[in-house]
Amino acid sequence: MRTREFLWQEGHTAHATKEGADNEVMTILGIYKDLIEKHLAIPVLTGKKSESEKFAGALYTTTLEALMPDGKVLQLGTSHNLGQNFSKPFKIKFIGKDEKDHYVWQTSWGVSTRLIGALVMVHGDDKGLVLPPRKTPFQVVIVPIFYKRVGKDLILKKAREVYKKLEKNGITSMLDDREEYTPGWKFNQWEMKGIPLRIEIGPKDIEKKQVIAARRDTMERITVKDEELINIVGEVLKEIQGNLFNQAKKFLEEHITSVQTYDEFKRVLRKKGGFIRGCWCSNQRCEEKIKEETGATIRLIPFKKEELFSGCVYCGDEAKEVVYFARAY
Ligand SMILES: [Zn+2]
């Protein structure tokens, strides 16, 4: 998803100490992780970038990486500790408690509308978008189904009641009472737009004091009694949010493959994609060779050192750390 223009959010902070900057880097990374995992329902791996993949001006770069359905990885955000690399040339100083001048320690971090691209790719299906209930223009679309044999007034009245009830209980909704489109046409349109839940109200539902709810994620249709409307809709929305995350998480976990040899590395990359977990000697030459020969880069080095299980996946020499490779966008 590349566009001529994109919007982004970026922050810069200045701190008295390296520890202050370290804390800020991790705080922001945590906020981004919450946004991406809890709202967009996209699981991420986090860690540090290697020296050659970090932002050139940074002391170190931390990153959030997500797996797309085609097996390629998308970097969703970064948070850098810039150290004093900018404050020294630009003379950004503060007066410390010792009443002397000190150079500040800086951080910078950002995410962009690329997150929307990830959302489209990770959850979408052949019918169109699938939006998580916590990030959607509205959570429920109500489609009244008119038939000649029962007056549409009754159905519209109930539809409006349902709309009001949902909104009153904090469930964002939209009543699609356009008369120039058939219910079937509306179903397709809102499915394509990915609205998490559709509520259908027809003449039979008036008689039976119920509505029909259709989930966008599983396409499952359930009957909901009027008196249970708020409870069930609330529950189902939570379920959809969880289901989208769990599905993506399962896919991610199934696509983290540990390899011990370079042959295996190339085979997994060719046949399966995803993250390749391998041991690395920390020599930039091996990293470069792998990139040159396969297009895969080190996406991240885990924050918590993982246990070594082989020699360097490229040269076979003694490994220093476990890292995650992938082909990336
Ligand atoms: Zn090596």
Side-chain angles (χ1 to χ4, degrees):
M1 187 174 166
R2 293 210 182 265
T3 47
R4 277 167 170 267
E5 292 181 6
F6 61 92
L7 301 174
W8 79 95
Q9 179 268 356
E10 178 175 323
H12 292 260
T13 59
H15 304 263
T17 61
K18 177 175 181 295
E19 292 67 42
D22 284 339
N23 287 340
E24 181 73 7
V25 166
M26 292 311 291
T27 300
I28 297 296
L29 196 77
I31 290 170
Y32 286 162
K33 190 171 196 274
D34 269 9
L35 165 69
I36 297 166
E37 293 200 327
K38 294 188 180 151
H39 291 260
L40 307 182
I42 301 171
V44 288
L45 296 184
T46 57
K48 277 190 189 181
K49 287 290 187 188
S50 64
E51 281 303 299
S52 63
E53 294 287 329
K54 75 175 185 186
F55 171 55
L59 211 54
Y60 63 85
T61 291
T62 65
T63 183
L64 306 118
E65 308 271 334
L67 179 60
M68 300 299 114
D70 64 356
K72 279 165 79 177
V73 164
L74 187 64
Q75 177 180 298
L76 293 188
T78 46
S79 178
H80 318 280
N81 187 329
L82 303 178
Q84 295 173 316
N85 294 343
F86 292 85
S87 65
K88 283 183 177 167
F90 290 101
K91 301 193 169 45
I92 309 166
K93 296 184 216 173
F94 70 101
I95 299 169
K97 283 182 185 152
D98 56 4
E99 297 190 356
K100 287 182 186 148
D101 277 3
H102 298 276
Y103 290 106
V104 298
W105 295 80
Q106 285 172 279
T107 76
S108 86
W109 22 272
V111 289
S112 76
T113 43
R114 172 184 283 202
L115 291 179
I116 297 170
L119 184 73
V120 171
M121 286 197 277
V122 169
H123 301 310
D125 61 19
D126 289 345
K127 285 176 182 282
L129 290 174
V130 180
L131 298 176
R134 293 182 77 176
K135 275 288 163 284
T136 171
F138 44 89
Q139 298 166 311
V140 175
V141 60
I142 304 157
V143 180
I145 302 170
F146 306 141
Y147 287 113
K148 281 175 189 158
R149 50 197 164 94
V150 175
K152 74 176 188 197
D153 293 350
L154 263 179
I155 294 173
L156 270 180
K157 184 170 164 268
K158 176 158 176 171
R160 286 193 196 104
E161 279 166 15
V162 166
Y163 171 80
K164 274 190 202 143
K165 216 162 144 187
L166 292 173
E167 285 279 324
K168 211 179 106 191
N169 285 277
I171 298 166
T172 53
S173 315
M174 143 92 169
L175 170 57
D176 186 357
D177 55 2
R178 293 176 295 175
E179 291 190 25
E180 63 272 36
Y181 297 109
T182 63
W185 196 93
K186 292 177 185 175
F187 290 3
N188 285 332
Q189 189 185 35
W190 295 118
E191 278 169 9
M192 189 174 71
K193 290 185 181 240
I195 300 308
L197 196 68
R198 175 178 76 233
I199 286 183
E200 306 163 15
I201 303 170
K204 266 193 206 152
D205 303 316
I206 304 255
E207 280 167 33
K208 294 183 178 169
K209 298 191 193 327
Q210 65 180 33
V211 298
I212 305 295
R215 284 172 68 149
R216 175 62 182 90
D217 60 336
T218 58
M219 304 303 281
E220 183 192 353
R221 291 168 89 246
I222 46 174
T223 304
V224 182
K225 288 281 164 207
D226 285 350
E227 69 266 22
E228 292 176 328
L229 180 78
I230 296 304
N231 281 343
I232 303 266
V233 168
E235 258 171 49
V236 171
L237 288 173
K238 258 187 223 153
E239 249 178 67
I240 296 173
Q241 182 78 31
N243 181 42
L244 291 179
F245 180 77
N246 291 338
Q247 266 180 5
K249 178 131 181 149
K250 183 165 175 271
F251 182 77
L252 168 65
E253 281 165 357
E254 285 167 357
H255 288 82
I256 300 173
T257 313
S258 300
V259 303
Q260 301 194 11
T261 67
Y262 194 45
D263 278 343
E264 247 185 296
F265 184 104
K266 286 186 285 191
R267 195 169 58 240
V268 171
L269 197 62
R270 198 172 56 240
K271 293 208 166 143
K272 185 177 171 192
F275 286 99
I276 299 181
R277 192 172 161 266
C279 301
W280 177 47
C281 63
S282 299
N283 189 329
Q284 277 189 25
R285 219 180 27 144
C286 290
E287 185 185 13
E288 272 163 33
K289 281 284 173 198
I290 291 174
K291 186 175 176 178
E292 215 175 275
E293 292 170 15
T294 70
T297 49
I298 296 179
R299 301 316 302 162
L300 62 91
I301 303 166
F303 288 120
K304 223 176 115 196
K305 213 172 157 79
E306 295 181 3
E307 207 177 317
L308 295 166
F309 54 89
S310 73
C312 172
V313 72
Y314 189 81
C315 69
D317 287 354
E318 193 187 334
K320 299 261 164 55
E321 53 202 340
V322 175
V323 298
Y324 289 68
F325 296 88
R327 280 204 187 108
Y329 277 89

